[in-house]
Amino acid sequence: MSIAAVSAVSLVAFLGGTTVARAQESDPAPKSCDGVRLTGELPVPAPGQAVSGQITIGADCKPEPVSVQHGPASERSARTATAATAAAGHQLRGWNEMYDCCNIRMTGLYTASSWDTANGRVTTGGTTATQEWNREPWDAGWSLTSQTAKDDCVTDCAEVNSEAHADFAYQGVFDPTGDWYNNTHHSYVQLKADGTASCRFDVELRHTFVGWNWRYGCE
């Protein structure tokens, strides 16, 4: 993020109204959990900084307490921010990723936003989205099944609200049917005329395992 302000962090994890995940009833020590939805919201950090959250599925199929990290932006983001500042623009990068218990990234949705401001308006702005997913050596693994992205305004805006969505399915060694695993990522970005912004993320998991962890953030 090239120009922004820091505010309080608010993060939530839930499934339906009350329960985060439901273990399979036949297993007295469940490893597989189903029907998990996680959501988190982060302020955009100060220039040259990054803020991120991580939620891990615990042994009882409930999310462990949210871990929030603050630190320097990645080298790539820092270079982009320096160029943007010289051009009097604003830049924001976001990530929304799901990792398994072996620290392998399974699926990810990424956003890159840029906007210019003048006279209390966003003169131009918008967000692009990209997706990445893990494949297995024998032409199996995760696949992207659908993706969408849109901005509600791109020129002369009071603010720009951008959203991106990506749906991934798995078929491979852990499930040859292709019917068990499905990860759906959602990312929302608000770009404001005062140069600040906010990031919100969601992920829906048809099934998950203890130790899977969701990582998200912006810089």
Side-chain angles (χ1 to χ4, degrees):
M1 170 71 183
S2 59
I3 303 173
V6 178
S7 61
V9 177
S10 173
L11 304 125
V12 183
F14 64 95
L15 166 69
T18 57
T19 307
V20 174
R22 180 170 57 82
Q24 294 185 24
E25 297 176 357
S26 60
D27 189 345
K31 295 297 183 181
S32 178
C33 318
D34 41 313
V36 176
R37 182 186 177 202
L38 305 172
T39 184
E41 186 171 355
L42 296 169
V44 175
Q49 297 294 303
V51 61
S52 62
Q54 178 170 323
I55 300 176
T56 301
I57 303 300
D60 56 357
C61 280
K62 294 183 179 180
E64 295 178 353
V66 177
S67 172
V68 178
Q69 301 292 326
H70 296 263
S74 65
E75 183 178 349
R76 179 179 64 176
S77 181
R79 289 196 303 267
T80 302
T82 300
T85 301
H90 308 275
Q91 301 284 327
L92 177 67
R93 189 179 77 89
W95 58 95
N96 180 344
E97 302 173 310
M98 203 68 213
Y99 284 77
D100 69 11
C101 56
C102 298
N103 204 36
I104 296 173
R105 184 197 59 186
M106 297 176 288
T107 54
L109 173 61
Y110 307 89
T111 57
S113 306
S114 62
W115 72 110
D116 292 295
T117 60
N119 302 318
R121 304 283 291 179
V122 177
T123 54
T124 59
T127 298
T128 59
T130 56
Q131 309 81 29
E132 296 182 14
W133 54 95
N134 184 61
R135 296 293 292 170
E136 295 169 355
W138 38 86
D139 193 27
W142 289 94
S143 299
L144 177 68
T145 58
S146 68
Q147 61 85 22
T148 61
K150 67 178 182 180
D151 306 304
D152 68 348
C153 181
V154 295
T155 305
D156 190 23
C157 314
E159 63 185 26
V160 177
N161 294 285
S162 305
E163 60 181 75
H165 310 274
D167 190 70
F168 302 89
Y170 175 88
Q171 185 172 17
V173 65
F174 297 104
D175 173 37
T177 71
D179 296 329
W180 190 252
Y181 297 107
N182 190 89
N183 295 352
T184 302
H185 295 255
H186 311 279
S187 296
Y188 305 88
V189 178
Q190 185 179 67
L191 312 174
K192 302 177 182 179
D194 63 359
T196 62
S198 64
C199 309
R200 181 166 58 88
F201 309 93
D202 293 278
V203 67
E204 299 169 54
L205 313 171
R206 181 182 297 164
H207 291 97
T208 181
F209 268 83
V210 169
W212 281 25
N213 61 91
W214 180 46
R215 304 176 192 180
Y216 55 96
C218 51
E219 60 184 12

